[in-house]
Amino acid sequence: MDGGGYKHMPDLPNAQSVAKYFIWKSNQEGKQITNKKLQKLLYYAQAWSLVLKNRPLFKDKIEAWIHGPTIPGVYHFYKKYGFDPIKEKVTEAEIKQIPERDVLDAVWDAYGRKYDADYLEILTHNEEPWQKAREGISLNVSSSAEITLDSMQDFYKSFLPA
């Protein structure tokens, strides 16, 4: 999968545009969203798109950083907020073209509405895709190791009924 057809899918949006959906959603519901929480929601959205739709949601790679799965471009765009909530206003027009809103809403309902960034970090640290990508790397050492689409799809599809 990673070495195959998924790498060159130019019609896929970038993770930044998908991030806007989660920021919009959090604003709609009066919930706060930090950069760290946003990273985890994007990770879970990618994973569940792979499982439920058999295709990636966005083209950006996800790296296994110290604090969990991270999309570097999105992280750097929002790092000015530090650990504080993202204070960006997103309009409906900005998210109109985002595909797979059913997957995004399901991820929001399962992870975004209920859990904070620290819980989601712990959750991802206890799951195989992040652990596999960081094999042989100390917990406190920076890494740009990629969490592969294959590892995400294989792990999360195991949660579906047979």
Side-chain angles (χ1 to χ4, degrees):
M1 184 181 303
D2 280 323
Y6 284 164
K7 282 289 188 201
H8 300 94
M9 295 183 82
D11 56 328
L12 288 176
N14 63 32
Q16 181 65 46
S17 62
V18 178
K20 287 189 174 295
Y21 184 80
F22 285 123
I23 295 168
W24 175 81
K25 192 81 169 163
S26 69
N27 289 337
Q28 291 296 112
E29 295 193 9
K31 301 248 183 225
Q32 296 187 336
I33 190 166
T34 61
N35 195 358
K36 185 162 80 166
K37 181 173 181 173
L38 180 61
Q39 297 298 325
K40 306 317 165 253
L41 293 176
L42 289 169
Y43 166 76
Y44 283 118
Q46 183 77 305
W48 286 107
S49 178
L50 289 164
V51 171
L52 300 172
K53 306 289 184 171
N54 201 34
R55 63 181 175 265
L57 182 61
F58 52 80
K59 56 187 165 195
D60 307 66
K61 83 174 193 170
I62 300 174
E63 296 181 355
W65 285 19
I66 290 171
H67 293 289
T70 303
I71 296 99
V74 175
Y75 168 80
H76 290 296
F77 188 83
Y78 292 110
K79 78 176 183 181
K80 64 186 172 203
Y81 294 102
F83 290 106
D84 293 329
I86 294 170
K87 299 281 190 219
E88 181 180 42
K89 295 294 174 224
V90 177
T91 65
E92 270 195 72
E94 291 177 87
I95 60 162
K96 198 173 186 175
Q97 300 303 318
I98 294 175
E100 313 301 354
R101 286 171 73 150
D102 56 333
V103 173
L104 297 178
D105 287 339
V107 167
W108 177 259
D109 291 344
Y111 301 97
R113 184 175 283 143
K114 297 177 187 172
Y115 304 120
D116 67 11
D118 292 334
Y119 179 87
L120 294 175
E121 177 182 346
I122 291 165
L123 191 61
T124 60
H125 281 198
N126 284 291
E127 294 174 340
E128 191 177 279
W130 182 85
Q131 293 172 349
K132 243 173 136 173
R134 288 195 61 93
E135 226 163 32
I137 303 168
S138 292
L139 287 176
N140 60 348
V141 172
S142 295
S143 167
S144 60
E146 183 173 0
I147 299 174
T148 68
L149 298 177
D150 284 338
S151 72
M152 292 164 67
Q153 187 174 39
D154 290 346
F155 179 75
Y156 293 101
K157 77 178 176 189
S158 72
F159 290 95
L160 296 180

